[in-house]
Each structure stands twice: as structure tokens, then as C-alpha cells.
Amino acid sequence: MIEIDPWGVADIKDYARLFEEFGISPFKELLNQIDKPHLYMRRGIIVGHRGYEEVVRAMNERSKFAVMSGFMPSGRIHFGGKMVMDEIIWHQRMGGDAFACIADMESHSVRGTSWKDCREIGLNEYILSLVALGFDVEKGHIYFQSGNKKLRDLAFELGREVNFSEISAIYGFSGNVNISHMISVVMQNADILQPQLLEYGGPKPAVIPVGVDQDPHIRLTRDIASRMRMFRVEKRLDKDQKPYISIREKQAGKKALDEIARRIEGPKKKYEMHIDVFGIEASEVDTAMREIEEIVREVEMAYGGYGFFFPAATYHRFMQGLTGGKMSSSIPESYIALTEPPEEAAKKVKQAKTGGRVTIEEQKNLGGSPAQCTVYELMMFHLIEEDAHVKEIFEECKNGKRMCNSCKLEAAELMHSFIKTHQDEREKAKEVLKEHELYKQWL
Ligand code: SF4
């Protein structure tokens, strides 16, 4: 594998092929528009996005936006789950209304996890770590799917817009998939759209930070959000290549379309089912589009619609398992749980697969391969804040100046310290939750 930079560009090329196929955009295109990007962003760990421009604009304009993601309570919280938590917390600190879902209905229907285990794992593994990592419970929302009636009502509503053939094609469901599993799909769609309900301040850009494997949920939810809209607003070009904006009524009725026509100033033409708005300069078409979308959204909501923004997503790369290959809950050595004893975690780092050579002599002469090294990955993803330090490790490894034994010792110490601190913070998190009216019932 070609290694180009400390953030593993060769790896990104593989993702680029995947993205081309599914229409995901490279994240680096937006990087210079983000004030103080998270290290996952700076280091190319968040590698792609879908529709994140709207969220970046909201962050920069200090207007409202939301962040949400979910955790299936079926195993221990490990560093893969930590990535999603870090991303939720970062967006919350950037001003986003933050939602963290414990997907107990999904875990119960798909994995057969008992309700009791869902509750215990959800709380003791996931919620405590989320709060310990910095989630602000006063500002944000943590919920179990099963305890959220509004969410279930929304899922029921969204379920009208998707049929069995469609979800079978997306998820490969066959005739023997249980009905509750199918319901858990629309529950996820509802999780994603819930931050835009009126009780949470209404429609707004929302980002769902996930691993790339979650893209089918995002695509389906964006489709459903579009189907739930009462109007479609599109930029178009006339025969002279001049821009205009078309507003097509789908299910709101003629009165609502008349209302929109009344509210939009400037030259326009009204037809039976749509309005075309003219006189827009090419340089102003995006601004005009946003203004018109806002008017349309207000009218839609006045007529009983949801006015959903299509949810955005950021996609992060996966960490390798410590033994090489994927992390697997059936191979405890392949991952480190945030809840395991710090000594055990440090031991796993010392035993992890590296990108080192077979002999010290070879390592000195040929250098190591950090992109293949799970220890380097832990340091780069989680254990070292300063970019310069990570770059230094990368260079030293490549140039044969760094040996795996001492490198692993350094990483093991960092891991021990991280896990110990995190577990102290988890104890404090219990106290924080106990003081919160909504959450104390869980403890
Ligand atoms: S020196 Fe460090 S970064 Fe390089 S391969 Fe060995 S453990 Fe990995």
C-alpha cells in the first residue's frame, strides 16, 4: 500500500471508490470552511459527507441546527462507539441541539436483547460514557427508543411512505424477517428526523455522524423526508440558460400554493400545480433559493406538514481490530472497551498488531508501516491531541527511527491513562444523571 501522509491517504482512496458509487462527497472539500475542526476532520478520519454544507453554513451563521446519532445496546462501548460520541459532543459544543438515541427497540428486534439488558447496557455502557466524554445533559437529549412515544408516532407516520419491497431491496430482507425488525427501520428514520419536530424548535439542518456502513439508513431517510414534503423546490435553467426557481405542489392543495405565490415578491408565473419564479441573477440564485425554501417551509407547516430539511451525514473511517481485520465482539482481543480495567486495556495495546518489520535490523533499514499499524491508529484516532506529535511518530516510524516495543509502551501508557480518567469521569456522570429530573429514573 502507498503511504502518502500521516492521515493515511492511501486508505482514503479506497473510500473514494466507494463514495463515487453511492454519491458521497469528500469531506476535505468543506474543511477550510469549518472553524476549529475536530481532529477527526483534520486527520481525514471523517472522510465523506452527504449534504453537510447546510450544517456548516448554520454553524458559521450561528443559526439553529441539530446533531443526532444512535447506539445499539447489544455489547460493550468501545473506541468505535466513542468516535460517534465525540462527534455528537463536538457538534453540541458548536451550538447544535444534540440527540443521542439508545436503539433498544432495534436491539430487541434484531439481536434478541432482552429489555432488561437493553436498559442496563444502554445506561451502564453507553449513556455513562457519553456523559463522561462531555455530552451536556442540560442542553441535549438522551432517550431510549421504547420510552419515546412521539418518536413511535413519527415512525408510524413515516412508515406510510415506505413499503416492504423498498426496504427489502435496501436491507436484503427476505420473507422470514420479523415484522418488528422492519418496524425498527422506520424507528431509525424517525430517530433521524425527530430533531426537526416542532417540539424541538421545528425544521432545521441536522447532521448524523456515522460510519460509512450506515449510509443506506441516511439515503432512505433523505428519500422519506423528501416524500413527506408538500412541495418540491428546484433550481432550473430556461431556454436562454437563465436561472429560475420552480415550486411544485405535491399534497398541500391549491390554497397553499396561492399563499406561497402571495408571499413571493418579484416576477413569477403561477400554473395549476406549480409556480415559476424569474428575474434571479445567477450569482444570487442560492440566496433566492434559501429565501423561497423558507417561505415554502412556513406555508407547509401552516398546512399541517413537517417541512423537513433532508438530513445530512458525516462518514468516518473504521478502526481496524487490534488483532488485524475487523473489530468483533466475539474476539475480545480485537477491541478495547471503555469500561474494561485500564491494565487490561494497556495489555491489549502491547499485544496489538503493528506495522513493524520482523527484525529490529529490518525496521531500522526499511522503516515501519504506520498505515497498517493498529497501535498508530489508536494514537492517531484517540490518544494524541497534537497533530505535530502524531506526524512525528509517523515520520519516525517510516524512517526506521522508532521501534515497535518502545512505541507500544508509549501507546499503552497513554491508553492506561485515558481509560482511567474516563472511568473516573463515568463515576461523576452518574452523579450528573442523578440530579437530572428526566434521567434519574434510569439509575
Ligand atoms: S513503530 Fe509504532 S507506529 Fe511504527 S509500526 Fe511500530 S508500533 Fe506501529
Side-chain angles (χ1 to χ4, degrees):
M1 183 186 282
I2 316 155
E3 288 165 0
I4 300 167
D5 76 10
W7 318 135
V9 165
D11 195 12
I12 288 170
K13 280 185 183 155
D14 297 339
Y15 282 104
R17 276 197 291 275
L18 189 76
F19 289 178
E20 215 169 283
E21 203 173 317
F22 293 104
I24 295 173
S25 308
F27 191 83
K28 65 174 185 231
E29 287 174 1
L30 295 178
L31 193 59
N32 61 7
Q33 297 173 37
I34 300 169
D35 190 29
K36 300 196 188 88
H38 189 273
L39 70 82
Y40 295 155
M41 297 171 174
R42 302 196 306 269
R43 298 179 185 175
I45 293 165
I46 293 177
V47 69
H49 77 96
R50 208 181 264 287
Y52 191 58
E53 300 91 341
E54 271 180 330
V55 176
V56 173
R57 187 181 309 114
M59 281 195 287
N60 290 340
E61 289 174 357
R62 305 264 187 276
S63 56
K64 61 181 183 178
F65 72 97
V67 55
M68 93 73 47
S69 203
F71 306 93
M72 183 145 76
S74 64
R76 302 183 76 179
I77 170 69
H78 54 59
F79 277 82
K82 174 184 173 284
M83 291 172 71
V84 174
M85 293 180 179
D86 287 338
E87 290 169 62
I88 294 176
I89 292 163
W90 183 84
H91 282 96
Q92 186 180 39
R93 288 178 181 162
M94 297 299 283
D97 195 10
F99 292 73
C101 160
I102 302 298
D104 57 342
M105 288 174 73
E106 185 183 359
S107 190
H108 186 63
S109 64
V110 178
R111 302 267 168 94
T113 314
S114 72
W115 291 115
K116 182 170 173 288
D117 286 351
C118 281
R119 184 53 60 118
E120 280 176 14
I121 297 169
L123 174 65
N124 293 325
E125 291 288 324
Y126 290 86
I127 295 174
L128 288 184
S129 277
L130 177 72
V131 178
L133 288 169
F135 186 92
D136 184 339
V137 294
E138 294 300 328
K139 291 186 183 154
H141 319 266
I142 306 172
Y143 65 92
F144 285 83
Q145 284 177 326
S146 63
N148 187 333
K149 182 175 179 310
K150 283 255 182 245
L151 183 84
R152 297 205 308 264
D153 291 349
L154 177 61
F156 189 78
E157 204 63 38
L158 301 181
R160 298 178 64 217
E161 296 294 336
V162 57
N163 64 32
F164 175 70
S165 305
E166 188 175 17
I167 57 170
S168 304
I170 295 170
Y171 298 104
F173 287 171
S174 56
N176 60 1
V177 170
N178 70 65
I179 302 287
S180 299
H181 189 166
M182 290 182 217
I183 293 173
S184 79
V185 170
V186 282
M187 286 300 293
Q188 281 192 43
N189 305 138
D191 284 322
I192 293 172
L193 293 172
Q194 179 186 229
Q196 300 194 55
L197 293 182
L198 265 182
E199 65 177 313
Y200 297 116
K204 60 179 89 59
V207 57
I208 323 300
V210 284
V212 287
D213 62 329
Q214 301 296 306
D215 186 49
H217 300 311
I218 304 295
R219 273 183 286 146
L220 175 61
T221 315
R222 285 171 67 91
D223 280 352
I224 292 175
S226 163
R227 290 171 210 167
M228 297 293 287
R229 293 297 310 268
M230 289 177 161
F231 299 92
R232 180 180 299 136
V233 185
E234 287 174 328
K235 283 184 265 190
R236 294 211 175 141
L237 293 174
D238 68 13
K239 58 179 176 16
D240 299 321
Q241 298 300 297
K242 285 197 174 151
Y244 69 98
I245 293 173
S246 169
I247 304 146
R248 184 162 292 276
E249 189 272 317
K250 295 198 302 176
Q251 45 182 311
K254 193 173 167 312
K255 247 176 95 183
L257 197 65
D258 289 345
E259 171 77 24
I260 288 172
R262 258 198 307 280
R263 290 216 203 172
I264 293 174
E265 290 169 6
K268 57 188 170 275
K269 196 160 179 188
K270 189 167 171 297
Y271 300 88
E272 180 70 20
M273 298 283 285
H274 74 281
I275 307 165
D276 289 338
V277 184
F278 304 99
I280 304 162
E281 293 299 323
S283 60
E284 287 167 5
V285 71
D286 286 338
T287 313
M289 183 79 180
R290 280 206 297 282
E291 285 168 7
I292 287 175
E293 277 182 333
E294 217 35 60
I295 292 170
V296 169
R297 195 165 271 122
E298 279 170 20
V299 172
E300 178 170 326
M301 291 178 71
Y303 279 76
Y306 288 93
F308 289 134
F309 281 77
F310 301 162
T314 53
Y315 301 98
H316 57 243
R317 292 196 276 153
F318 291 116
M319 297 174 64
Q320 307 170 60
L322 294 178
T323 45
K326 285 185 176 172
M327 283 191 206
S328 163
S329 53
S330 58
I331 311 171
E333 301 76 33
S334 71
Y335 67 92
I336 293 172
L338 303 188
T339 47
E340 66 185 277
E343 299 71 29
E344 281 300 312
K347 196 167 137 200
K348 283 184 181 175
V349 175
K350 289 183 199 161
Q351 291 169 346
K353 174 188 164 284
T354 71
R357 303 280 172 181
V358 180
T359 65
I360 291 182
E361 215 43 48
E362 272 185 45
Q363 179 97 348
K364 280 183 180 165
N365 292 334
L366 302 170
S369 180
Q372 314 272 331
C373 178
T374 63
V375 178
Y376 176 75
E377 204 170 64
L378 277 174
M379 293 190 283
M380 200 257 271
F381 278 50
H382 298 286
L383 300 177
I384 299 178
E385 270 289 329
E386 312 79 46
D387 290 350
H389 189 181
V390 179
K391 279 183 181 154
E392 185 183 270
I393 293 174
F394 181 87
E395 290 304 329
E396 285 180 1
C397 174
K398 293 283 297 165
N399 299 337
K401 288 190 186 141
R402 183 171 265 263
M403 298 301 121
C404 290
N405 270 348
S406 54
C407 188
K408 283 204 276 190
L409 274 181
E410 180 183 342
E413 272 172 32
L414 288 170
M415 179 60 76
H416 187 283
S417 157
F418 174 83
I419 295 280
K420 188 165 180 328
T421 309
H422 180 66
Q423 292 178 0
D424 292 344
E425 291 298 323
R426 282 172 52 90
E427 288 306 313
K428 291 184 202 159
K430 276 184 202 163
E431 299 310 311
V432 171
L433 291 171
K434 270 183 201 161
E435 281 169 21
H436 200 286
E437 199 49 46
L438 206 60
Y439 303 136
K440 64 182 178 193
Q441 45 161 336
W442 296 339
L443 289 146

